[in-house]
């Protein structure tokens, strides 16, 4: 079974630009979560989607947004990029069979560098 | 707000030594706990998880963890480490559709 895939793997942008990252979950997984990983702040939750609905959002400014499509694929967008947005952005998927908790499986991440 | 604390930032061991990484969480309700590992250049992988039942859980690669509810702890152990266990280890708590991670512990195993 293929794992979580994220595209692109690497991205270089300049301040003020916007960026869209893509995530394809494991086949059959319906929940997609996004995390930001930086050396200073560690792993921080961005948002979670299930059946195209955002169920939770982390403490990030409104410049960070996301969506999920009917095939469970997800995108996240960051507008007006700042230097501090440089990070590894991780996507994770889980089956969400109805249990309150399910295991999240992570993709390789997109390394975003803002110059 | 719930939080996860990992006691050690960096641990250096020799091969065959025993490893124990501490993890404490602050959350009063039912918790679901995870340990993930990130090997150099690789993505986060699940080591083991605790949802309910036996508080001693076994994971991959010889790792185990013990959930002690009274101490709000979920410590990770391995009796004998190998050079290939060099990685960063993250403890996480799942609640409200999200994982809250500890700061991570970098483990360096010297051959």
């Amino acid at each position: 079974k293929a794992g979580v895939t994220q595209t692109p793997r690497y991205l270089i942008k300049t301040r003020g630009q916007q960026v869209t990252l893509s995530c394809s979950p494991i086949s059959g997984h319906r929940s997609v979560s996004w995390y930001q990983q930086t050396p200073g702040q560690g792993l921080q939750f961005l948002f979670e989607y299930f059946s195209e609905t955002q169920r939770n959002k982390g403490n990030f400014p409104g410049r960070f947004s996301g969506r999920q499509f009917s095939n469970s694929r997800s995108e996240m967008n960051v507008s007006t990029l700042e230097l501090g947005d440089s990070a590894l952005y991780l996507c994770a998927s889980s089956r969400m069979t109805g249990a309150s908790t399910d295991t999240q499986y992570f993709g390789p991440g997109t390394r975003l560098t803002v110059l | 707000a719930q939080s996860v604390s990992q006691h050690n930032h960096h641990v250096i061991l020799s091969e065959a030594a025993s490893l124990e990484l501490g993890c404490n969480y602050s959350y009063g309700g039912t918790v679901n706990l995870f340990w993930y590992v990130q090997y150099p250049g690789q993505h986060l992988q699940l080591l083991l998880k605790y949802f309910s039942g036996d508080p001693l859980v076994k994971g991959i690669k010889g790792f185990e963890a013990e959930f002690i509810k009274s101490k709000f702890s979920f410590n990770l152990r391995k009796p004998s480490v190998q050079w290939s266990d060099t990685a960063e280890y993250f403890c996480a708590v799942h609640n409200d559709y999200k994982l809250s991670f500890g700061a991570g512990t970098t483990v360096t195993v010297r051959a």
Side-chain angles (χ1 to χ4, degrees), chain A residues 3-13 19-24 34 37 86-91 106-113, chain B residues 38-44:
Chain A
V4 177
T5 57
Q6 293 186 244
T7 57
R9 292 293 310 279
Y10 302 91
L11 207 48
I12 299 175
K13 292 286 188 180
V19 67
T20 299
L21 312 181
S22 181
C23 172
S24 293
W34 289 89
Q37 186 176 21
S86 294
L88 182 65
Y89 290 88
L90 297 172
C91 172
F106 285 81
T110 293
R111 172 75 61 186
L112 172 66
T113 302
Chain B
Q38 194 169 33
Y39 297 103
Q42 296 187 28
H43 59 276
L44 273 172

Side-chain angles (χ1 to χ4, degrees), chain A residues 2 13 15-16 19 24 26 32 35 40 46 50-51 58 61-63 65 75-76 80 84 96 102 115:
Chain A
K13 292 286 188 180
R15 279 181 297 175
V19 67
S24 293
I26 294 170
V32 173
Y35 296 84
L46 280 157
F50 176 75
S51 291
R63 300 185 295 106
S65 63
E75 289 180 347
M76 67 163 281
T80 319
M96 289 308 296
D102 205 345
L115 302 175

